Amino acid sequence: RERRMMSTLRAAADMVIDTTGLNVHQLATRVAHAYGGPDRDELRVTVISFGFKNGLPIDADLVFDVRFLPNPHWVPELRPQTGLSTAVSTYVLSQPGAQDFVDQLVALFATMRVGYAREGKRLVELAVGCTGGKHRSTAIAEEIGRRLRRDGVKVQVMHRDLGRE
């Protein structure tokens, strides 16, 4: 009902933030990332990892699925860890296709970035999903964020579903 009532306002908005899973500090970080500072005309990217079992992030501009990679959940010593750990990240990024996927996504985004600038789009959310949002999507989102930063993009990486398992 609330979404229906706010639909006109949402259509006119430059940015929509789903606050459902955010605490006040995460919300403040998102707002500051989007609107703060003298460089506010630069493209700002949020890379968010998520679990498909918890639903798509509703404010994502682009959604990518990394469930084609082997799941560390089935490796006993990796199961309790997250994609933020070196062991899980190394495992995920060393799987066949993982580096190619990140390479191609970053190259695709470089092309899109030019068009976004031309069209005046300043905020983009890239969502990377796996089953639960704990291992694969987290490791891949961190790697995408690292590579985009290396290319000079203002990036914030968030992990929506860490801790929900």
Side-chain angles (χ1 to χ4, degrees):
R1 183 171 161 242
E2 179 182 344
R3 287 184 204 270
R4 199 170 43 252
M5 290 173 54
M6 300 298 289
S7 64
T8 304
L9 183 60
R10 179 186 175 111
D14 291 329
M15 179 180 187
V16 176
I17 300 175
D18 177 12
T19 60
T20 306
L22 301 179
N23 65 37
V24 67
H25 306 292
Q26 292 167 324
L27 177 58
T29 300
R30 290 286 303 271
V31 171
H33 178 73
Y35 297 109
D39 56 352
R40 56 180 267 231
D41 287 340
E42 286 185 56
L43 180 66
R44 294 172 181 268
V45 177
T46 299
V47 180
I48 184 167
S49 70
F50 73 97
F52 278 97
K53 73 179 186 179
N54 297 313
L56 294 172
I58 64 170
D59 39 350
D61 295 295
L62 302 163
V63 177
F64 298 94
D65 183 350
V66 295
R67 292 176 292 184
F68 68 92
L69 297 170
N71 192 344
H73 175 81
W74 302 114
V75 179
E77 61 273 14
L78 299 179
R79 181 180 292 182
Q81 299 179 52
T82 72
L84 297 176
S85 74
T86 302
V88 171
S89 180
T90 299
Y91 175 86
V92 169
L93 293 170
S94 68
Q95 296 303 313
Q99 292 294 330
D100 289 340
F101 174 80
V102 174
D103 291 345
Q104 291 178 38
L105 191 152
V106 170
L108 172 65
F109 190 74
T111 301
M112 295 175 78
R113 190 174 159 196
V114 173
Y116 285 152
R118 184 179 55 248
E119 294 300 314
K121 185 168 178 66
R122 299 291 176 245
L123 305 168
V124 177
E125 184 170 297
L126 304 175
V128 180
C130 62
T131 305
K134 180 178 176 181
H135 298 108
R136 296 169 289 182
S137 63
T138 300
I140 295 290
E142 287 289 332
E143 180 65 9
I144 291 167
R146 187 186 70 72
R147 299 246 199 121
L148 291 176
R149 279 188 205 99
R150 182 189 67 194
D151 293 344
V153 178
K154 299 274 186 192
V155 179
Q156 173 185 30
V157 179
M158 298 180 67
H159 305 291
R160 185 190 77 180
D161 295 337
L162 277 186
R164 287 179 102 175
E165 63 278 345

